[in-house]
Amino acid sequence: MAKSIQRQIVLPWSQVMRISFNALRARLFRSMITTSALVLAVAFLAYTFAVYVVLEGIWPWADGSLQHRILSAGYVPTDGHFGSSAKDRWLVVLSLLVCTVGIVNAQLMAVTERFREIGTLKCLGALDSFVIKLFVLEAAYQGVLGGCVGSLLGVSTAVATLALRFGPLVIVHLPLVSTAFLMVKSLALAVALSLLGVMYPAWVAARMEPAIALRSEP
């Protein structure tokens, strides 16, 4: 009997994905605010590292004049290779940290707004794991969208900026493989940050008592 009841209340992943996607659509404005914070943080990261990836690609093809312009702009290779400075890395870490805190805050507010919804689901038999799946999938959607837009925005801005400063050689000798790899890493980091930021709010939502949630003000 217990097993049959459990089969009734544990929905397949396809159903959970559909419900979580509809929940994002219903709260589109708040979801876009959370996603925009992720976009900005990932765009800053992608821009910072894409600059050095592009310079690394064009440096062997640059003549003496162009190399002098690159050095005059403050980009100095170390052992013949360009890399981010400690200052750049600290700025990126701080931006990602602020982004994660913002995601946690936004998700906690979402839990507060959804007291009745969560209480109703749990009264209908939803398990704690089901509630966690909802929040994790919503965060994954936001992470994928924010990562794609942010990495594309950051890399394209870096390429456009360097092309305006150093000429069309930036486009001609753009290292496509390294750039694509950077975008993939940025996307993966965006998803990881989004999932990290939702863990505590999802746990709070899953541990919520149905009776208390239903008595809360809408």
Side-chain angles (χ1 to χ4, degrees):
M1 180 65 177
K3 291 184 178 180
S4 64
I5 294 176
Q6 188 177 24
R7 283 197 295 269
Q8 292 174 6
I9 60 180
V10 178
L11 294 176
W13 272 100
S14 59
Q15 290 289 84
V16 180
M17 292 174 66
R18 182 180 60 82
I19 295 173
S20 61
F21 182 74
N22 290 334
L24 283 178
R25 291 178 57 188
R27 297 167 181 81
L28 184 61
F29 181 72
R30 181 173 296 281
S31 299
M32 292 307 297
I33 292 177
T34 305
T35 305
S36 63
L38 195 59
V39 167
L40 292 176
V42 174
F44 179 67
L45 177 146
Y47 173 84
T48 301
F49 292 104
V51 167
Y52 297 106
V53 169
V54 173
L55 290 176
E56 184 79 12
I58 67 172
W59 182 258
W61 305 94
D63 55 21
S65 175
L66 181 55
Q67 289 185 353
H68 177 72
R69 288 165 57 194
I70 294 174
L71 294 175
S72 299
Y75 302 110
V76 180
T78 303
D79 297 329
H81 298 282
F82 289 91
S84 59
S85 63
K87 178 182 177 182
D88 293 331
R89 291 190 292 271
W90 271 110
L91 289 174
V92 168
V93 170
L94 287 176
S95 68
L96 296 178
L97 180 61
V98 171
C99 175
T100 304
V101 173
I103 292 173
V104 173
N105 182 61
Q107 294 290 355
L108 285 174
M109 293 179 65
V111 171
T112 303
E113 293 176 350
R114 298 167 68 176
F115 272 175
R116 285 185 176 273
E117 176 187 342
I118 296 169
T120 301
L121 288 173
K122 300 195 76 171
C123 285
L124 291 175
L127 299 175
D128 291 351
S129 60
F130 174 80
V131 178
I132 292 177
K133 287 177 185 178
L134 283 181
F135 280 86
V136 168
L137 280 173
E138 290 175 19
Y141 291 144
Q142 292 173 335
V144 170
L145 178 60
C148 289
V149 176
S151 60
L152 182 61
L153 178 62
V155 170
S156 59
T157 302
V159 172
T161 302
L162 292 177
L164 289 175
R165 296 182 69 178
F166 304 127
L169 192 66
V170 172
I171 306 296
V172 174
H173 295 291
L174 180 66
L176 296 178
V177 175
S178 299
T179 304
F181 185 57
L182 173 62
M183 295 179 68
V184 171
K185 289 194 296 184
S186 300
L187 172 60
L189 181 60
V191 175
L193 283 178
S194 188
L195 293 177
L196 178 64
V198 82
M199 288 303 174
Y200 176 68
W203 180 82
V204 171
R207 300 292 295 176
M208 190 180 301
E209 293 293 334
I212 297 176
L214 288 174
R215 287 200 304 267
S216 64
E217 293 296 328

